[in-house]
Amino acid sequence: MASDMPMSAELEQIDGEIQDIFRALQNGFQKLDKIKDSNRQSKQLEELTGKMRECKRLIKEFDREIKDQESRHAPDVNKQLNEKKQTMIKELNSYVALRKTYQSSLGNKRVELFDMGAGGSDPVAEDNVKMASDMSNQELIDAGRKQMDETDQAIERSKMVVEQTIEVGTQTAANLKQQTDQMGRIVNELDTIQFSIKKASQLVKEIGRQVATDKCIMFFLFLIVCGVIAIIIVKIVNPNNKSIRDIPGLAPPAPTARRLLSAEAFGSLE
C-alpha cells in the first residue's frame, strides 16, 4: 500500500507488512462466516489470532522507528506518522473485538485479549483470561462476590486515606493558627521593646544633659575657689598691694598709732 506521506524505507516496509496482515484478517473473518464446522472455525480463529499477534509486534516496531527517526522529520510529518499508528491500533482493535465475538460463540475456555487503547502509544496484551460466558453460575457468583469484597476493601482504604487527610489538614490548620498567634505576640513584644528603647534613649540624653550642666557648674565653682585662694595668697605675701581690694572678713588689724592717740587724749582730759 503506497503512502502519501514521506517515510523511510524501514517504515514503508513495516507499513506494507501491517497492511498485508489487515487484508489477510479481513479475508480470514469473511471466510470464517462461511465455515460451519466448529473445529475448523476454532482452527481458523487461532490462525487469525496469530496474525493479530504479528500485527501487534509490527505496530510496536513501527512506533519504535517513529521515535528513532523523530529528530530527522518535521513536526507535521511526526504528527502524521503518529496518527497513522493510531489508525493501525484502532483497526487492529476492531479485529480483536470481532475475534472476541467469534470466540465467545465458539465457547472456548481460554482466550487471549488485546487491549491497545486508541490513545495509547504502545499496544498492551493480556493473555489467557477466562471469559464470563465460559464460567458456571457458581463461578460467576464467586467472582462477583470476590470483586465486591475487593471493591469494599478499596472503598474502606479510600475512607481511611480521606480521614487521615482530614486529620492532617485539621492538625495543620491548628498549627498554623498557633504559629500565627505566636507571631502576633512576638510582633507586640517587639513593638514594646522598641518603645522601651526609645524611652531609654531619651532618658540617657536627659541624664547626659544634666551631667554636662553639673560639670559646668562644678567647673565655675572651681574657678571661683581658685581665684579666692589666689587673692588670699597675694594678700598674705604682699599686704601693702593696694591694687587688690580687701576681702571682707580678711582685712588686716588696725594700726597701733590710733590706740596711742586715744591714750593721749584720755590723759589730757585728766
Side-chain angles (χ1 to χ4, degrees), residues 87-109:
T87 302
M88 294 176 181
I89 292 174
K90 290 179 181 178
E91 187 172 356
L92 180 59
N93 278 336
S94 65
Y95 288 118
V96 170
L98 187 61
R99 188 208 58 164
K100 289 180 180 179
T101 302
Y102 280 101
Q103 193 75 39
S104 177
S105 63
L106 290 174
N108 290 340
K109 293 185 179 180

mmCIF file with all atom_site columns, all heavy atoms in Angstrom, residues 87-109:
data_model
loop_
_atom_site.group_PDB
_atom_site.id
_atom_site.type_symbol
_atom_site.label_atom_id
_atom_site.label_alt_id
_atom_site.label_comp_id
_atom_site.label_asym_id
_atom_site.label_entity_id
_atom_site.label_seq_id
_atom_site.pdbx_PDB_ins_code
_atom_site.Cartn_x
_atom_site.Cartn_y
_atom_site.Cartn_z
_atom_site.occupancy
_atom_site.B_iso_or_equiv
_atom_site.pdbx_formal_charge
_atom_site.auth_seq_id
_atom_site.auth_comp_id
_atom_site.auth_asym_id
_atom_site.auth_atom_id
_atom_site.pdbx_PDB_model_num
ATOM 1   N N   . THR A 1 87  ? -4.287  4.935   13.830 1.00 0.00 ? 87  THR A N   1
ATOM 2   C CA  . THR A 1 87  ? -5.255  4.308   12.928 1.00 0.00 ? 87  THR A CA  1
ATOM 3   C C   . THR A 1 87  ? -5.030  2.805   12.844 1.00 0.00 ? 87  THR A C   1
ATOM 4   O O   . THR A 1 87  ? -5.989  2.006   12.840 1.00 0.00 ? 87  THR A O   1
ATOM 5   C CB  . THR A 1 87  ? -5.135  4.946   11.532 1.00 0.00 ? 87  THR A CB  1
ATOM 6   O OG1 . THR A 1 87  ? -5.349  6.360   11.633 1.00 0.00 ? 87  THR A OG1 1
ATOM 7   C CG2 . THR A 1 87  ? -6.155  4.356   10.580 1.00 0.00 ? 87  THR A CG2 1
ATOM 8   N N   . MET A 1 88  ? -3.755  2.398   12.808 1.00 0.00 ? 88  MET A N   1
ATOM 9   C CA  . MET A 1 88  ? -3.443  0.961   12.805 1.00 0.00 ? 88  MET A CA  1
ATOM 10  C C   . MET A 1 88  ? -3.947  0.295   14.080 1.00 0.00 ? 88  MET A C   1
ATOM 11  O O   . MET A 1 88  ? -4.521  -0.809  14.044 1.00 0.00 ? 88  MET A O   1
ATOM 12  C CB  . MET A 1 88  ? -1.931  0.759   12.673 1.00 0.00 ? 88  MET A CB  1
ATOM 13  C CG  . MET A 1 88  ? -1.339  1.201   11.359 1.00 0.00 ? 88  MET A CG  1
ATOM 14  S SD  . MET A 1 88  ? 0.475   1.021   11.381 1.00 0.00 ? 88  MET A SD  1
ATOM 15  C CE  . MET A 1 88  ? 0.891   1.638   9.755  1.00 0.00 ? 88  MET A CE  1
ATOM 16  N N   . ILE A 1 89  ? -3.736  0.962   15.224 1.00 0.00 ? 89  ILE A N   1
ATOM 17  C CA  . ILE A 1 89  ? -4.156  0.383   16.505 1.00 0.00 ? 89  ILE A CA  1
ATOM 18  C C   . ILE A 1 89  ? -5.674  0.220   16.539 1.00 0.00 ? 89  ILE A C   1
ATOM 19  O O   . ILE A 1 89  ? -6.208  -0.813  16.964 1.00 0.00 ? 89  ILE A O   1
ATOM 20  C CB  . ILE A 1 89  ? -3.665  1.260   17.662 1.00 0.00 ? 89  ILE A CB  1
ATOM 21  C CG1 . ILE A 1 89  ? -2.142  1.209   17.763 1.00 0.00 ? 89  ILE A CG1 1
ATOM 22  C CG2 . ILE A 1 89  ? -4.272  0.807   18.983 1.00 0.00 ? 89  ILE A CG2 1
ATOM 23  C CD1 . ILE A 1 89  ? -1.556  2.153   18.790 1.00 0.00 ? 89  ILE A CD1 1
ATOM 24  N N   . LYS A 1 90  ? -6.398  1.255   16.066 1.00 0.00 ? 90  LYS A N   1
ATOM 25  C CA  . LYS A 1 90  ? -7.861  1.169   16.060 1.00 0.00 ? 90  LYS A CA  1
ATOM 26  C C   . LYS A 1 90  ? -8.341  0.033   15.161 1.00 0.00 ? 90  LYS A C   1
ATOM 27  O O   . LYS A 1 90  ? -9.272  -0.706  15.514 1.00 0.00 ? 90  LYS A O   1
ATOM 28  C CB  . LYS A 1 90  ? -8.442  2.492   15.587 1.00 0.00 ? 90  LYS A CB  1
ATOM 29  C CG  . LYS A 1 90  ? -8.268  3.632   16.580 1.00 0.00 ? 90  LYS A CG  1
ATOM 30  C CD  . LYS A 1 90  ? -8.866  4.921   16.024 1.00 0.00 ? 90  LYS A CD  1
ATOM 31  C CE  . LYS A 1 90  ? -8.677  6.071   17.003 1.00 0.00 ? 90  LYS A CE  1
ATOM 32  N NZ  . LYS A 1 90  ? -9.220  7.350   16.464 1.00 0.00 ? 90  LYS A NZ  1
ATOM 33  N N   . GLU A 1 91  ? -7.726  -0.106  13.997 1.00 0.00 ? 91  GLU A N   1
ATOM 34  C CA  . GLU A 1 91  ? -8.141  -1.173  13.081 1.00 0.00 ? 91  GLU A CA  1
ATOM 35  C C   . GLU A 1 91  ? -7.859  -2.540  13.680 1.00 0.00 ? 91  GLU A C   1
ATOM 36  O O   . GLU A 1 91  ? -8.691  -3.455  13.592 1.00 0.00 ? 91  GLU A O   1
ATOM 37  C CB  . GLU A 1 91  ? -7.420  -1.011  11.739 1.00 0.00 ? 91  GLU A CB  1
ATOM 38  C CG  . GLU A 1 91  ? -7.920  -1.971  10.664 1.00 0.00 ? 91  GLU A CG  1
ATOM 39  C CD  . GLU A 1 91  ? -7.328  -1.663  9.299  1.00 0.00 ? 91  GLU A CD  1
ATOM 40  O OE1 . GLU A 1 91  ? -6.594  -0.649  9.189  1.00 0.00 ? 91  GLU A OE1 1
ATOM 41  O OE2 . GLU A 1 91  ? -7.605  -2.434  8.351  1.00 0.00 ? 91  GLU A OE2 1
ATOM 42  N N   . LEU A 1 92  ? -6.699  -2.687  14.326 1.00 0.00 ? 92  LEU A N   1
ATOM 43  C CA  . LEU A 1 92  ? -6.398  -3.964  14.973 1.00 0.00 ? 92  LEU A CA  1
ATOM 44  C C   . LEU A 1 92  ? -7.369  -4.243  16.104 1.00 0.00 ? 92  LEU A C   1
ATOM 45  O O   . LEU A 1 92  ? -7.811  -5.387  16.298 1.00 0.00 ? 92  LEU A O   1
ATOM 46  C CB  . LEU A 1 92  ? -4.954  -3.961  15.486 1.00 0.00 ? 92  LEU A CB  1
ATOM 47  C CG  . LEU A 1 92  ? -4.501  -5.238  16.200 1.00 0.00 ? 92  LEU A CG  1
ATOM 48  C CD1 . LEU A 1 92  ? -4.627  -6.449  15.289 1.00 0.00 ? 92  LEU A CD1 1
ATOM 49  C CD2 . LEU A 1 92  ? -3.063  -5.101  16.686 1.00 0.00 ? 92  LEU A CD2 1
ATOM 50  N N   . ASN A 1 93  ? -7.730  -3.199  16.869 1.00 0.00 ? 93  ASN A N   1
ATOM 51  C CA  . ASN A 1 93  ? -8.688  -3.392  17.963 1.00 0.00 ? 93  ASN A CA  1
ATOM 52  C C   . ASN A 1 93  ? -10.052 -3.840  17.439 1.00 0.00 ? 93  ASN A C   1
ATOM 53  O O   . ASN A 1 93  ? -10.767 -4.603  18.103 1.00 0.00 ? 93  ASN A O   1
ATOM 54  C CB  . ASN A 1 93  ? -8.844  -2.091  18.765 1.00 0.00 ? 93  ASN A CB  1
ATOM 55  C CG  . ASN A 1 93  ? -7.730  -1.914  19.772 1.00 0.00 ? 93  ASN A CG  1
ATOM 56  O OD1 . ASN A 1 93  ? -7.109  -2.875  20.204 1.00 0.00 ? 93  ASN A OD1 1
ATOM 57  N ND2 . ASN A 1 93  ? -7.455  -0.668  20.138 1.00 0.00 ? 93  ASN A ND2 1
ATOM 58  N N   . SER A 1 94  ? -10.418 -3.339  16.265 1.00 0.00 ? 94  SER A N   1
ATOM 59  C CA  . SER A 1 94  ? -11.699 -3.777  15.690 1.00 0.00 ? 94  SER A CA  1
ATOM 60  C C   . SER A 1 94  ? -11.677 -5.273  15.384 1.00 0.00 ? 94  SER A C   1
ATOM 61  O O   . SER A 1 94  ? -12.661 -5.992  15.629 1.00 0.00 ? 94  SER A O   1
ATOM 62  C CB  . SER A 1 94  ? -12.003 -2.970  14.431 1.00 0.00 ? 94  SER A CB  1
ATOM 63  O OG  . SER A 1 94  ? -11.040 -3.254  13.415 1.00 0.00 ? 94  SER A OG  1
ATOM 64  N N   . TYR A 1 95  ? -10.533 -5.767  14.883 1.00 0.00 ? 95  TYR A N   1
ATOM 65  C CA  . TYR A 1 95  ? -10.417 -7.208  14.635 1.00 0.00 ? 95  TYR A CA  1
ATOM 66  C C   . TYR A 1 95  ? -10.366 -7.987  15.942 1.00 0.00 ? 95  TYR A C   1
ATOM 67  O O   . TYR A 1 95  ? -10.877 -9.108  16.035 1.00 0.00 ? 95  TYR A O   1
ATOM 68  C CB  . TYR A 1 95  ? -9.172  -7.498  13.781 1.00 0.00 ? 95  TYR A CB  1
ATOM 69  C CG  . TYR A 1 95  ? -9.316  -7.072  12.340 1.00 0.00 ? 95  TYR A CG  1
ATOM 70  C CD1 . TYR A 1 95  ? -8.478  -6.103  11.798 1.00 0.00 ? 95  TYR A CD1 1
ATOM 71  C CD2 . TYR A 1 95  ? -10.284 -7.646  11.522 1.00 0.00 ? 95  TYR A CD2 1
ATOM 72  C CE1 . TYR A 1 95  ? -8.608  -5.705  10.479 1.00 0.00 ? 95  TYR A CE1 1
ATOM 73  C CE2 . TYR A 1 95  ? -10.419 -7.254  10.192 1.00 0.00 ? 95  TYR A CE2 1
ATOM 74  C CZ  . TYR A 1 95  ? -9.585  -6.280  9.687  1.00 0.00 ? 95  TYR A CZ  1
ATOM 75  O OH  . TYR A 1 95  ? -9.732  -5.891  8.385  1.00 0.00 ? 95  TYR A OH  1
ATOM 76  N N   . VAL A 1 96  ? -9.737  -7.410  16.967 1.00 0.00 ? 96  VAL A N   1
ATOM 77  C CA  . VAL A 1 96  ? -9.704  -8.078  18.272 1.00 0.00 ? 96  VAL A CA  1
ATOM 78  C C   . VAL A 1 96  ? -11.113 -8.222  18.818 1.00 0.00 ? 96  VAL A C   1
ATOM 79  O O   . VAL A 1 96  ? -11.499 -9.285  19.347 1.00 0.00 ? 96  VAL A O   1
ATOM 80  C CB  . VAL A 1 96  ? -8.823  -7.272  19.261 1.00 0.00 ? 96  VAL A CB  1
ATOM 81  C CG1 . VAL A 1 96  ? -8.974  -7.814  20.677 1.00 0.00 ? 96  VAL A CG1 1
ATOM 82  C CG2 . VAL A 1 96  ? -7.366  -7.358  18.845 1.00 0.00 ? 96  VAL A CG2 1
ATOM 83  N N   . ALA A 1 97  ? -11.924 -7.158  18.730 1.00 0.00 ? 97  ALA A N   1
ATOM 84  C CA  . ALA A 1 97  ? -13.307 -7.235  19.200 1.00 0.00 ? 97  ALA A CA  1
ATOM 85  C C   . ALA A 1 97  ? -14.093 -8.259  18.396 1.00 0.00 ? 97  ALA A C   1
ATOM 86  O O   . ALA A 1 97  ? -14.902 -9.023  18.949 1.00 0.00 ? 97  ALA A O   1
ATOM 87  C CB  . ALA A 1 97  ? -13.961 -5.854  19.104 1.00 0.00 ? 97  ALA A CB  1
ATOM 88  N N   . LEU A 1 98  ? -13.862 -8.316  17.091 1.00 0.00 ? 98  LEU A N   1
ATOM 89  C CA  . LEU A 1 98  ? -14.545 -9.305  16.259 1.00 0.00 ? 98  LEU A CA  1
ATOM 90  C C   . LEU A 1 98  ? -14.137 -10.715 16.639 1.00 0.00 ? 98  LEU A C   1
ATOM 91  O O   . LEU A 1 98  ? -14.965 -11.629 16.700 1.00 0.00 ? 98  LEU A O   1
ATOM 92  C CB  . LEU A 1 98  ? -14.223 -9.026  14.785 1.00 0.00 ? 98  LEU A CB  1
ATOM 93  C CG  . LEU A 1 98  ? -14.978 -9.854  13.746 1.00 0.00 ? 98  LEU A CG  1
ATOM 94  C CD1 . LEU A 1 98  ? -16.474 -9.629  13.850 1.00 0.00 ? 98  LEU A CD1 1
ATOM 95  C CD2 . LEU A 1 98  ? -14.479 -9.508  12.333 1.00 0.00 ? 98  LEU A CD2 1
ATOM 96  N N   . ARG A 1 99  ? -12.843 -10.908 16.935 1.00 0.00 ? 99  ARG A N   1
ATOM 97  C CA  . ARG A 1 99  ? -12.376 -12.219 17.360 1.00 0.00 ? 99  ARG A CA  1
ATOM 98  C C   . ARG A 1 99  ? -13.013 -12.638 18.679 1.00 0.00 ? 99  ARG A C   1
ATOM 99  O O   . ARG A 1 99  ? -13.364 -13.801 18.890 1.00 0.00 ? 99  ARG A O   1
ATOM 100 C CB  . ARG A 1 99  ? -10.863 -12.207 17.490 1.00 0.00 ? 99  ARG A CB  1
ATOM 101 C CG  . ARG A 1 99  ? -10.263 -13.589 17.752 1.00 0.00 ? 99  ARG A CG  1
ATOM 102 C CD  . ARG A 1 99  ? -8.988  -13.490 18.508 1.00 0.00 ? 99  ARG A CD  1
ATOM 103 N NE  . ARG A 1 99  ? -9.191  -12.814 19.775 1.00 0.00 ? 99  ARG A NE  1
ATOM 104 C CZ  . ARG A 1 99  ? -8.304  -12.855 20.766 1.00 0.00 ? 99  ARG A CZ  1
ATOM 105 N NH1 . ARG A 1 99  ? -7.180  -13.503 20.615 1.00 0.00 ? 99  ARG A NH1 1
ATOM 106 N NH2 . ARG A 1 99  ? -8.541  -12.213 21.882 1.00 0.00 ? 99  ARG A NH2 1
ATOM 107 N N   . LYS A 1 100 ? -13.188 -11.671 19.612 1.00 0.00 ? 100 LYS A N   1
ATOM 108 C CA  . LYS A 1 100 ? -13.828 -11.984 20.886 1.00 0.00 ? 100 LYS A CA  1
ATOM 109 C C   . LYS A 1 100 ? -15.258 -12.463 20.667 1.00 0.00 ? 100 LYS A C   1
ATOM 110 O O   . LYS A 1 100 ? -15.730 -13.382 21.345 1.00 0.00 ? 100 LYS A O   1
ATOM 111 C CB  . LYS A 1 100 ? -13.824 -10.744 21.789 1.00 0.00 ? 100 LYS A CB  1
ATOM 112 C CG  . LYS A 1 100 ? -12.461 -10.363 22.317 1.00 0.00 ? 100 LYS A CG  1
ATOM 113 C CD  . LYS A 1 100 ? -12.565 -9.125  23.200 1.00 0.00 ? 100 LYS A CD  1
ATOM 114 C CE  . LYS A 1 100 ? -11.207 -8.715  23.734 1.00 0.00 ? 100 LYS A CE  1
ATOM 115 N NZ  . LYS A 1 100 ? -11.283 -7.489  24.575 1.00 0.00 ? 100 LYS A NZ  1
ATOM 116 N N   . THR A 1 101 ? -15.921 -11.831 19.725 1.00 0.00 ? 101 THR A N   1
ATOM 117 C CA  . THR A 1 101 ? -17.299 -12.243 19.443 1.00 0.00 ? 101 THR A CA  1
ATOM 118 C C   . THR A 1 101 ? -17.347 -13.686 18.944 1.00 0.00 ? 101 THR A C   1
ATOM 119 O O   . THR A 1 101 ? -18.153 -14.509 19.408 1.00 0.00 ? 101 THR A O   1
ATOM 120 C CB  . THR A 1 101 ? -17.913 -11.293 18.402 1.00 0.00 ? 101 THR A CB  1
ATOM 121 O OG1 . THR A 1 101 ? -17.856 -9.957  18.894 1.00 0.00 ? 101 THR A OG1 1
ATOM 122 C CG2 . THR A 1 101 ? -19.360 -11.666 18.133 1.00 0.00 ? 101 THR A CG2 1
ATOM 123 N N   . TYR A 1 102 ? -16.484 -14.002 17.995 1.00 0.00 ? 102 TYR A N   1
ATOM 124 C CA  . TYR A 1 102 ? -16.442 -15.376 17.483 1.00 0.00 ? 102 TYR A CA  1
ATOM 125 C C   . TYR A 1 102 ? -15.983 -16.344 18.566 1.00 0.00 ? 102 TYR A C   1
ATOM 126 O O   . TYR A 1 102 ? -16.500 -17.464 18.673 1.00 0.00 ? 102 TYR A O   1
ATOM 127 C CB  . TYR A 1 102 ? -15.507 -15.461 16.263 1.00 0.00 ? 102 TYR A CB  1
ATOM 128 C CG  . TYR A 1 102 ? -16.132 -14.979 14.987 1.00 0.00 ? 102 TYR A CG  1
ATOM 129 C CD1 . TYR A 1 102 ? -15.835 -13.717 14.504 1.00 0.00 ? 102 TYR A CD1 1
ATOM 130 C CD2 . TYR A 1 102 ? -17.002 -15.792 14.255 1.00 0.00 ? 102 TYR A CD2 1
ATOM 131 C CE1 . TYR A 1 102 ? -16.398 -13.262 13.312 1.00 0.00 ? 102 TYR A CE1 1
ATOM 132 C CE2 . TYR A 1 102 ? -17.576 -15.340 13.080 1.00 0.00 ? 102 TYR A CE2 1
ATOM 133 C CZ  . TYR A 1 102 ? -17.273 -14.071 12.605 1.00 0.00 ? 102 TYR A CZ  1
ATOM 134 O OH  . TYR A 1 102 ? -17.833 -13.624 11.438 1.00 0.00 ? 102 TYR A OH  1
ATOM 135 N N   . GLN A 1 103 ? -15.018 -15.927 19.379 1.00 0.00 ? 103 GLN A N   1
ATOM 136 C CA  . GLN A 1 103 ? -14.506 -16.805 20.417 1.00 0.00 ? 103 GLN A CA  1
ATOM 137 C C   . GLN A 1 103 ? -15.586 -17.108 21.442 1.00 0.00 ? 103 GLN A C   1
ATOM 138 O O   . GLN A 1 103 ? -15.700 -18.226 21.936 1.00 0.00 ? 103 GLN A O   1
ATOM 139 C CB  . GLN A 1 103 ? -13.309 -16.142 21.105 1.00 0.00 ? 103 GLN A CB  1
ATOM 140 C CG  . GLN A 1 103 ? -12.495 -17.090 21.987 1.00 0.00 ? 103 GLN A CG  1
ATOM 141 C CD  . GLN A 1 103 ? -11.632 -18.034 21.163 1.00 0.00 ? 103 GLN A CD  1
ATOM 142 O OE1 . GLN A 1 103 ? -11.065 -17.635 20.155 1.00 0.00 ? 103 GLN A OE1 1
ATOM 143 N NE2 . GLN A 1 103 ? -11.547 -19.282 21.572 1.00 0.00 ? 103 GLN A NE2 1
ATOM 144 N N   . SER A 1 104 ? -16.386 -16.106 21.754 1.00 0.00 ? 104 SER A N   1
ATOM 145 C CA  . SER A 1 104 ? -17.468 -16.315 22.716 1.00 0.00 ? 104 SER A CA  1
ATOM 146 C C   . SER A 1 104 ? -18.507 -17.267 22.159 1.00 0.00 ? 104 SER A C   1
ATOM 147 O O   . SER A 1 104 ? -19.048 -18.120 22.869 1.00 0.00 ? 104 SER A O   1
ATOM 148 C CB  . SER A 1 104 ? -18.118 -14.969 23.059 1.00 0.00 ? 104 SER A CB  1
ATOM 149 O OG  . SER A 1 104 ? -19.211 -15.151 23.926 1.00 0.00 ? 104 SER A OG  1
ATOM 150 N N   . SER A 1 105 ? -18.811 -17.158 20.892 1.00 0.00 ? 105 SER A N   1
ATOM 151 C CA  . SER A 1 105 ? -19.802 -18.045 20.288 1.00 0.00 ? 105 SER A CA  1
ATOM 152 C C   . SER A 1 105 ? -19.287 -19.470 20.186 1.00 0.00 ? 105 SER A C   1
ATOM 153 O O   . SER A 1 105 ? -20.060 -20.429 20.273 1.00 0.00 ? 105 SER A O   1
ATOM 154 C CB  . SER A 1 105 ? -20.199 -17.523 18.903 1.00 0.00 ? 105 SER A CB  1
ATOM 155 O OG  . SER A 1 105 ? -19.065 -17.541 18.054 1.00 0.00 ? 105 SER A OG  1
ATOM 156 N N   . LEU A 1 106 ? -17.984 -19.622 20.009 1.00 0.00 ? 106 LEU A N   1
ATOM 157 C CA  . LEU A 1 106 ? -17.421 -20.959 19.936 1.00 0.00 ? 106 LEU A CA  1
ATOM 158 C C   . LEU A 1 106 ? -17.324 -21.614 21.302 1.00 0.00 ? 106 LEU A C   1
ATOM 159 O O   . LEU A 1 106 ? -17.256 -22.843 21.401 1.00 0.00 ? 106 LEU A O   1
ATOM 160 C CB  . LEU A 1 106 ? -16.039 -20.916 19.284 1.00 0.00 ? 106 LEU A CB  1
ATOM 161 C CG  . LEU A 1 106 ? -16.019 -20.588 17.782 1.00 0.00 ? 106 LEU A CG  1
ATOM 162 C CD1 . LEU A 1 106 ? -14.583 -20.422 17.290 1.00 0.00 ? 106 LEU A CD1 1
ATOM 163 C CD2 . LEU A 1 106 ? -16.725 -21.688 16.994 1.00 0.00 ? 106 LEU A CD2 1
ATOM 164 N N   . GLY A 1 107 ? -17.272 -20.842 22.389 1.00 0.00 ? 107 GLY A N   1
ATOM 165 C CA  . GLY A 1 107 ? -17.255 -21.404 23.743 1.00 0.00 ? 107 GLY A CA  1
ATOM 166 C C   . GLY A 1 107 ? -15.909 -21.937 24.165 1.00 0.00 ? 107 GLY A C   1
ATOM 167 O O   . GLY A 1 107 ? -15.856 -22.865 24.978 1.00 0.00 ? 107 GLY A O   1
ATOM 168 N N   . ASN A 1 108 ? -14.820 -21.401 23.628 1.00 0.00 ? 108 ASN A N   1
ATOM 169 C CA  . ASN A 1 108 ? -13.502 -21.827 24.085 1.00 0.00 ? 108 ASN A CA  1
ATOM 170 C C   . ASN A 1 108 ? -13.283 -21.365 25.517 1.00 0.00 ? 108 ASN A C   1
ATOM 171 O O   . ASN A 1 108 ? -13.795 -20.328 25.952 1.00 0.00 ? 108 ASN A O   1
ATOM 172 C CB  . ASN A 1 108 ? -12.405 -21.258 23.186 1.00 0.00 ? 108 ASN A CB  1
ATOM 173 C CG  . ASN A 1 108 ? -12.424 -21.924 21.821 1.00 0.00 ? 108 ASN A CG  1
ATOM 174 O OD1 . ASN A 1 108 ? -12.977 -23.010 21.657 1.00 0.00 ? 108 ASN A OD1 1
ATOM 175 N ND2 . ASN A 1 108 ? -11.843 -21.252 20.837 1.00 0.00 ? 108 ASN A ND2 1
ATOM 176 N N   . LYS A 1 109 ? -12.496 -22.076 26.275 1.00 0.00 ? 109 LYS A N   1
ATOM 177 C CA  . LYS A 1 109 ? -12.276 -21.774 27.687 1.00 0.00 ? 109 LYS A CA  1
ATOM 178 C C   . LYS A 1 109 ? -11.122 -20.815 27.932 1.00 0.00 ? 109 LYS A C   1
ATOM 179 O O   . LYS A 1 109 ? -11.024 -20.246 29.014 1.00 0.00 ? 109 LYS A O   1
ATOM 180 C CB  . LYS A 1 109 ? -12.023 -23.070 28.465 1.00 0.00 ? 109 LYS A CB  1
ATOM 181 C CG  . LYS A 1 109 ? -13.236 -23.971 28.519 1.00 0.00 ? 109 LYS A CG  1
ATOM 182 C CD  . LYS A 1 109 ? -12.965 -25.192 29.399 1.00 0.00 ? 109 LYS A CD  1
ATOM 183 C CE  . LYS A 1 109 ? -14.189 -26.062 29.469 1.00 0.00 ? 109 LYS A CE  1
ATOM 184 N NZ  . LYS A 1 109 ? -13.965 -27.255 30.327 1.00 0.00 ? 109 LYS A NZ  1
#
